[in-house]
Amino acid sequence: MKKLFKMALCVVLVGSFFTAAYAQFAKPEDAVEYRKAVMTLIGHHFMQIAAVVKGQQPYEKNAVARDATLVETLSKLPWEAFMVPGTDKGDTKLQPDAFKEPSKFSEDGKRFEAEAAKLVSAANGGNLDAIKSQFGEVGKSCQECHKQFRAR
């Protein structure tokens, strides 16, 4: 438990460092690269949990809790990098609708953050059925945003 707390604290500190850097993207391409990196990490840790939920990997409470904590921490990072002008062009899958409907885009991001936080609670509780259920809710929040704002 101590290791998990230390890791979470480290991730939060690193995350707060990046928060200060949000407004400092030199070019739109830097913002795109940043948010792609964050989304790649979210995807990696989410898929680690998916393997457990699908029964492809054994359930280890601490590992699932660690991955859920990382997903939750990372869930807060990419949003400002999406709203940098010019980041809907070039090597990105962001739809221009995100700029046309920023409140909807922001609402979807907040829902993802909230569902990811609930996943941490479920993971810390140790009930695999609760984890599976909340994992599905996090997935739905991803799909809803991707459906409207991500190019296919």
Side-chain angles (χ1 to χ4, degrees):
M1 188 66 170
K2 248 184 176 179
K3 282 185 180 181
L4 183 61
F5 175 75
K6 286 180 182 179
M7 183 181 66
L9 180 62
C10 190
V11 170
V12 169
L13 291 174
V14 170
S16 65
F17 170 76
F18 283 113
T19 301
Y22 276 153
Q24 300 176 15
F25 294 112
K27 307 175 278 188
E29 298 84 25
D30 294 342
V32 171
E33 184 177 326
Y34 175 83
R35 71 184 189 223
K36 281 180 164 184
V38 172
M39 290 300 193
T40 297
L41 288 169
I42 289 170
H44 171 77
H45 293 285
F46 195 66
M47 294 313 292
Q48 295 290 100
I49 301 168
V52 173
V53 166
K54 293 176 183 178
Q56 298 167 340
Q57 292 293 322
Y59 172 57
E60 295 178 24
K61 181 182 176 188
N62 290 339
V64 171
R66 180 194 68 230
D67 286 320
T69 299
L70 289 168
V71 168
E72 191 263 340
T73 300
L74 292 164
S75 75
K76 297 176 175 88
L77 297 180
W79 309 115
E80 195 165 333
F82 275 104
M83 292 294 102
V84 173
T87 60
D88 61 335
K89 297 168 180 55
D91 186 24
T92 182
K93 293 182 179 178
L94 180 65
Q95 290 288 334
D97 286 353
F99 291 96
K100 294 176 188 166
E101 298 183 60
S103 62
K104 172 69 173 125
F105 185 75
S106 177
E107 180 183 308
D108 286 353
K110 294 290 183 203
R111 178 169 178 238
F112 172 59
E113 290 178 33
E115 296 299 340
K118 291 176 191 174
L119 181 60
V120 172
S121 294
N124 287 332
N127 180 315
L128 186 55
D129 288 333
I131 293 166
K132 288 178 180 182
S133 176
Q134 188 54 38
F135 178 85
E137 292 303 312
V138 176
K140 286 178 192 175
S141 71
C142 294
Q143 290 171 348
E144 185 63 32
C145 189
H146 285 195
K147 188 169 119 181
Q148 184 168 356
F149 298 114
R150 186 174 189 227
R152 286 144 193 68

